[in-house]
PDB file of all heavy atoms in Angstrom:
ATOM      1  N   ILE A1540     147.778  86.269 107.453  1.00 98.00           N
ATOM      2  CA  ILE A1540     149.033  86.804 106.900  1.00 98.00           C
ATOM      3  C   ILE A1540     149.444  86.098 105.632  1.00 98.00           C
ATOM      4  O   ILE A1540     150.209  86.650 104.830  1.00 98.00           O
ATOM      5  CB  ILE A1540     150.159  86.809 107.951  1.00 98.00           C
ATOM      6  CG1 ILE A1540     150.453  85.395 108.473  1.00 98.00           C
ATOM      7  CG2 ILE A1540     149.864  87.773 109.104  1.00 98.00           C
ATOM      8  CD1 ILE A1540     151.618  85.315 109.437  1.00 98.00           C
ATOM      9  N   CYS A1541     148.935  84.884 105.429  1.00 98.00           N
ATOM     10  CA  CYS A1541     149.260  84.178 104.194  1.00 98.00           C
ATOM     11  C   CYS A1541     148.633  84.852 102.961  1.00 98.00           C
ATOM     12  O   CYS A1541     149.088  84.621 101.840  1.00 98.00           O
ATOM     13  CB  CYS A1541     148.779  82.717 104.275  1.00 98.00           C
ATOM     14  SG  CYS A1541     149.711  81.713 105.430  1.00 98.00           S
ATOM     15  N   GLN A1542     147.633  85.662 103.177  1.00 97.00           N
ATOM     16  CA  GLN A1542     147.039  86.445 102.076  1.00 97.00           C
ATOM     17  C   GLN A1542     147.754  87.793 101.900  1.00 97.00           C
ATOM     18  O   GLN A1542     147.446  88.534 100.959  1.00 97.00           O
ATOM     19  CB  GLN A1542     145.553  86.726 102.346  1.00 97.00           C
ATOM     20  CG  GLN A1542     144.723  85.499 102.640  1.00 97.00           C
ATOM     21  CD  GLN A1542     144.587  84.589 101.417  1.00 97.00           C
ATOM     22  OE1 GLN A1542     144.711  83.380 101.552  1.00 97.00           O
ATOM     23  NE2 GLN A1542     144.330  85.138 100.272  1.00 97.00           N
ATOM     24  N   GLY A1543     148.674  88.091 102.850  1.00 97.00           N
ATOM     25  CA  GLY A1543     149.352  89.402 102.834  1.00 97.00           C
ATOM     26  C   GLY A1543     148.649  90.408 103.703  1.00 97.00           C
ATOM     27  O   GLY A1543     148.993  91.588 103.665  1.00 97.00           O
ATOM     28  N   MET A1608     144.688  94.787 103.901  1.00 97.00           N
ATOM     29  CA  MET A1608     145.886  95.071 103.135  1.00 97.00           C
ATOM     30  C   MET A1608     145.559  96.112 102.112  1.00 97.00           C
ATOM     31  O   MET A1608     144.396  96.295 101.739  1.00 97.00           O
ATOM     32  CB  MET A1608     146.400  93.788 102.466  1.00 97.00           C
ATOM     33  CG  MET A1608     145.377  93.155 101.523  1.00 97.00           C
ATOM     34  SD  MET A1608     145.934  91.571 100.909  1.00 97.00           S
ATOM     35  CE  MET A1608     144.439  91.021 100.051  1.00 97.00           C
ATOM     36  N   GLY A1611     146.211  95.607  95.823  1.00 94.00           N
ATOM     37  CA  GLY A1611     147.362  95.268  94.980  1.00 94.00           C
ATOM     38  C   GLY A1611     148.487  94.543  95.682  1.00 94.00           C
ATOM     39  O   GLY A1611     149.501  94.209  95.057  1.00 94.00           O
ATOM     40  N   THR A1612     148.325  94.232  97.003  1.00 95.00           N
ATOM     41  CA  THR A1612     149.391  93.563  97.739  1.00 95.00           C
ATOM     42  C   THR A1612     149.043  92.120  98.093  1.00 95.00           C
ATOM     43  O   THR A1612     149.677  91.503  98.952  1.00 95.00           O
ATOM     44  CB  THR A1612     149.749  94.341  99.020  1.00 95.00           C
ATOM     45  OG1 THR A1612     148.575  94.419  99.866  1.00 95.00           O
ATOM     46  CG2 THR A1612     150.214  95.746  98.704  1.00 95.00           C
ATOM     47  N   PHE A1613     148.040  91.574  97.436  1.00 95.00           N
ATOM     48  CA  PHE A1613     147.568  90.221  97.697  1.00 95.00           C
ATOM     49  C   PHE A1613     148.660  89.163  97.463  1.00 95.00           C
ATOM     50  O   PHE A1613     149.429  89.280  96.517  1.00 95.00           O
ATOM     51  CB  PHE A1613     146.354  89.926  96.819  1.00 95.00           C
ATOM     52  CG  PHE A1613     145.810  88.531  96.948  1.00 95.00           C
ATOM     53  CD1 PHE A1613     144.932  88.204  97.959  1.00 95.00           C
ATOM     54  CD2 PHE A1613     146.176  87.539  96.032  1.00 95.00           C
ATOM     55  CE1 PHE A1613     144.406  86.936  98.082  1.00 95.00           C
ATOM     56  CE2 PHE A1613     145.636  86.253  96.169  1.00 95.00           C
ATOM     57  CZ  PHE A1613     144.763  85.953  97.179  1.00 95.00           C
ATOM     58  N   LEU A1614     148.726  88.195  98.357  1.00 97.00           N
ATOM     59  CA  LEU A1614     149.593  87.046  98.195  1.00 97.00           C
ATOM     60  C   LEU A1614     148.777  85.754  98.001  1.00 97.00           C
ATOM     61  O   LEU A1614     147.662  85.661  98.513  1.00 97.00           O
ATOM     62  CB  LEU A1614     150.500  86.885  99.422  1.00 97.00           C
ATOM     63  CG  LEU A1614     151.541  87.989  99.691  1.00 97.00           C
ATOM     64  CD1 LEU A1614     152.296  87.662 100.977  1.00 97.00           C
ATOM     65  CD2 LEU A1614     152.492  88.152  98.536  1.00 97.00           C
ATOM     66  N   PRO A1615     149.320  84.752  97.296  1.00 96.00           N
ATOM     67  CA  PRO A1615     150.636  84.719  96.636  1.00 96.00           C
ATOM     68  C   PRO A1615     150.660  85.521  95.366  1.00 96.00           C
ATOM     69  O   PRO A1615     149.619  85.764  94.744  1.00 96.00           O
ATOM     70  CB  PRO A1615     150.833  83.231  96.347  1.00 96.00           C
ATOM     71  CG  PRO A1615     149.450  82.694  96.231  1.00 96.00           C
ATOM     72  CD  PRO A1615     148.613  83.464  97.181  1.00 96.00           C
ATOM     73  N   ASN A1616     151.858  85.957  94.975  1.00 96.00           N
ATOM     74  CA  ASN A1616     152.006  86.820  93.819  1.00 96.00           C
ATOM     75  C   ASN A1616     153.301  86.547  93.091  1.00 96.00           C
ATOM     76  O   ASN A1616     154.379  86.608  93.690  1.00 96.00           O
ATOM     77  CB  ASN A1616     151.952  88.301  94.256  1.00 96.00           C
ATOM     78  CG  ASN A1616     152.081  89.259  93.106  1.00 96.00           C
ATOM     79  OD1 ASN A1616     151.457  89.067  92.059  1.00 96.00           O
ATOM     80  ND2 ASN A1616     152.895  90.271  93.284  1.00 96.00           N
ATOM     81  N   ASP A1617     153.208  86.188  91.824  1.00 96.00           N
ATOM     82  CA  ASP A1617     154.364  86.051  90.933  1.00 96.00           C
ATOM     83  C   ASP A1617     155.347  84.984  91.392  1.00 96.00           C
ATOM     84  O   ASP A1617     156.556  85.153  91.221  1.00 96.00           O
ATOM     85  CB  ASP A1617     155.072  87.418  90.805  1.00 96.00           C
ATOM     86  CG  ASP A1617     155.991  87.463  89.595  1.00 96.00           C
ATOM     87  OD1 ASP A1617     155.695  86.800  88.590  1.00 96.00           O
ATOM     88  OD2 ASP A1617     157.022  88.173  89.663  1.00 96.00           O
ATOM     89  N   VAL A1618     154.861  83.913  92.001  1.00 97.00           N
ATOM     90  CA  VAL A1618     155.731  82.797  92.388  1.00 97.00           C
ATOM     91  C   VAL A1618     156.320  82.190  91.121  1.00 97.00           C
ATOM     92  O   VAL A1618     155.585  81.915  90.146  1.00 97.00           O
ATOM     93  CB  VAL A1618     154.963  81.739  93.209  1.00 97.00           C
ATOM     94  CG1 VAL A1618     155.858  80.542  93.524  1.00 97.00           C
ATOM     95  CG2 VAL A1618     154.416  82.376  94.485  1.00 97.00           C
ATOM     96  N   ILE A1685     158.909  88.823  99.574  1.00 98.00           N
ATOM     97  CA  ILE A1685     158.098  87.651  99.872  1.00 98.00           C
ATOM     98  C   ILE A1685     157.001  87.538  98.833  1.00 98.00           C
ATOM     99  O   ILE A1685     156.254  88.474  98.586  1.00 98.00           O
ATOM    100  CB  ILE A1685     157.502  87.725 101.277  1.00 98.00           C
ATOM    101  CG1 ILE A1685     158.597  87.644 102.345  1.00 98.00           C
ATOM    102  CG2 ILE A1685     156.457  86.649 101.504  1.00 98.00           C
ATOM    103  CD1 ILE A1685     158.107  87.702 103.786  1.00 98.00           C
ATOM    104  N   LYS A1686     156.924  86.358  98.191  1.00 98.00           N
ATOM    105  CA  LYS A1686     155.936  86.107  97.149  1.00 98.00           C
ATOM    106  C   LYS A1686     154.756  85.278  97.604  1.00 98.00           C
ATOM    107  O   LYS A1686     153.703  85.255  96.961  1.00 98.00           O
ATOM    108  CB  LYS A1686     156.619  85.451  95.965  1.00 98.00           C
ATOM    109  CG  LYS A1686     157.681  86.298  95.291  1.00 98.00           C
ATOM    110  CD  LYS A1686     158.194  85.560  94.052  1.00 98.00           C
ATOM    111  CE  LYS A1686     159.187  86.389  93.251  1.00 98.00           C
ATOM    112  NZ  LYS A1686     159.584  85.707  92.006  1.00 98.00           N
ATOM    113  N   GLY A1687     154.927  84.538  98.691  1.00 98.00           N
ATOM    114  CA  GLY A1687     153.876  83.661  99.158  1.00 98.00           C
ATOM    115  C   GLY A1687     154.158  83.144 100.549  1.00 98.00           C
ATOM    116  O   GLY A1687     155.299  83.135 100.983  1.00 98.00           O
ATOM    117  N   LEU A1688     153.095  82.679 101.221  1.00 98.00           N
ATOM    118  CA  LEU A1688     153.196  82.130 102.554  1.00 98.00           C
ATOM    119  C   LEU A1688     152.225  80.977 102.676  1.00 98.00           C
ATOM    120  O   LEU A1688     151.120  81.035 102.122  1.00 98.00           O
ATOM    121  CB  LEU A1688     152.864  83.189 103.605  1.00 98.00           C
ATOM    122  CG  LEU A1688     153.821  84.367 103.741  1.00 98.00           C
ATOM    123  CD1 LEU A1688     153.058  85.598 104.252  1.00 98.00           C
ATOM    124  CD2 LEU A1688     154.971  84.037 104.706  1.00 98.00           C
ATOM    125  N   ALA A1689     152.625  79.955 103.395  1.00 98.00           N
ATOM    126  CA  ALA A1689     151.771  78.801 103.649  1.00 98.00           C
ATOM    127  C   ALA A1689     151.805  78.465 105.114  1.00 98.00           C
ATOM    128  O   ALA A1689     152.852  78.133 105.669  1.00 98.00           O
ATOM    129  CB  ALA A1689     152.184  77.598 102.805  1.00 98.00           C
ATOM    130  N   LEU A1700     151.278  73.547 101.408  1.00 98.00           N
ATOM    131  CA  LEU A1700     152.241  74.271 100.522  1.00 98.00           C
ATOM    132  C   LEU A1700     151.674  74.470  99.123  1.00 98.00           C
ATOM    133  O   LEU A1700     151.799  75.577  98.564  1.00 98.00           O
ATOM    134  CB  LEU A1700     153.564  73.520 100.502  1.00 98.00           C
ATOM    135  CG  LEU A1700     154.698  74.189  99.712  1.00 98.00           C
ATOM    136  CD1 LEU A1700     154.891  75.643 100.128  1.00 98.00           C
ATOM    137  CD2 LEU A1700     156.002  73.394  99.903  1.00 98.00           C
ATOM    138  N   PRO A1701     150.983  73.490  98.530  1.00 96.00           N
ATOM    139  CA  PRO A1701     150.412  73.748  97.199  1.00 96.00           C
ATOM    140  C   PRO A1701     149.395  74.880  97.166  1.00 96.00           C
ATOM    141  O   PRO A1701     149.160  75.456  96.080  1.00 96.00           O
ATOM    142  CB  PRO A1701     149.724  72.391  96.867  1.00 96.00           C
ATOM    143  CG  PRO A1701     150.500  71.394  97.625  1.00 96.00           C
ATOM    144  CD  PRO A1701     150.845  72.076  98.927  1.00 96.00           C
ATOM    145  N   ARG A1702     148.790  75.238  98.283  1.00 96.00           N
ATOM    146  CA  ARG A1702     147.807  76.323  98.305  1.00 96.00           C
ATOM    147  C   ARG A1702     148.456  77.663  97.987  1.00 96.00           C
ATOM    148  O   ARG A1702     147.753  78.637  97.643  1.00 96.00           O
ATOM    149  CB  ARG A1702     147.126  76.393  99.672  1.00 96.00           C
ATOM    150  CG  ARG A1702     146.337  75.141  99.996  1.00 96.00           C
ATOM    151  CD  ARG A1702     145.921  75.093 101.444  1.00 96.00           C
ATOM    152  NE  ARG A1702     144.920  76.136 101.772  1.00 96.00           N
ATOM    153  CZ  ARG A1702     144.448  76.320 103.008  1.00 96.00           C
ATOM    154  NH1 ARG A1702     144.877  75.588 104.004  1.00 96.00           N
ATOM    155  NH2 ARG A1702     143.566  77.289 103.216  1.00 96.00           N
ATOM    156  N   ALA A1703     149.793  77.760  98.150  1.00 97.00           N
ATOM    157  CA  ALA A1703     150.483  79.001  97.865  1.00 97.00           C
ATOM    158  C   ALA A1703     151.180  78.993  96.513  1.00 97.00           C
ATOM    159  O   ALA A1703     151.937  79.904  96.178  1.00 97.00           O
ATOM    160  CB  ALA A1703     151.507  79.273  98.982  1.00 97.00           C
ATOM    161  N   LEU A1704     150.916  77.948  95.706  1.00 97.00           N
ATOM    162  CA  LEU A1704     151.600  77.799  94.411  1.00 97.00           C
ATOM    163  C   LEU A1704     150.641  77.850  93.254  1.00 97.00           C
ATOM    164  O   LEU A1704     149.484  77.385  93.358  1.00 97.00           O
ATOM    165  CB  LEU A1704     152.338  76.443  94.350  1.00 97.00           C
ATOM    166  CG  LEU A1704     153.338  76.132  95.490  1.00 97.00           C
ATOM    167  CD1 LEU A1704     153.891  74.726  95.286  1.00 97.00           C
ATOM    168  CD2 LEU A1704     154.437  77.146  95.539  1.00 97.00           C
ATOM    169  N   PRO A1705     151.088  78.377  92.109  1.00 94.00           N
ATOM    170  CA  PRO A1705     150.318  78.231  90.885  1.00 94.00           C
ATOM    171  C   PRO A1705     150.157  76.751  90.534  1.00 94.00           C
ATOM    172  O   PRO A1705     151.032  75.953  90.886  1.00 94.00           O
ATOM    173  CB  PRO A1705     151.150  78.955  89.821  1.00 94.00           C
ATOM    174  CG  PRO A1705     152.076  79.853  90.594  1.00 94.00           C
ATOM    175  CD  PRO A1705     152.339  79.163  91.921  1.00 94.00           C
ATOM    176  N   ILE A1750     157.787  81.863 100.834  1.00 98.00           N
ATOM    177  CA  ILE A1750     158.289  81.764  99.457  1.00 98.00           C
ATOM    178  C   ILE A1750     158.944  83.099  99.117  1.00 98.00           C
ATOM    179  O   ILE A1750     158.264  84.165  99.150  1.00 98.00           O
ATOM    180  CB  ILE A1750     157.217  81.425  98.451  1.00 98.00           C
ATOM    181  CG1 ILE A1750     156.535  80.090  98.846  1.00 98.00           C
ATOM    182  CG2 ILE A1750     157.760  81.288  97.035  1.00 98.00           C
ATOM    183  CD1 ILE A1750     155.271  79.796  98.043  1.00 98.00           C
TER     184      ILE A1750
END
Side-chain angles (χ1 to χ4, degrees):
I1540 58 176
C1541 290
Q1542 306 293 136
M1608 58 187 173
T1612 59
F1613 177 83
L1614 294 179
N1616 181 42
D1617 198 31
V1618 176
I1685 292 180
K1686 296 185 174 185
L1688 294 151
L1700 184 50
R1702 297 168 68 184
L1704 305 178
I1750 303 171

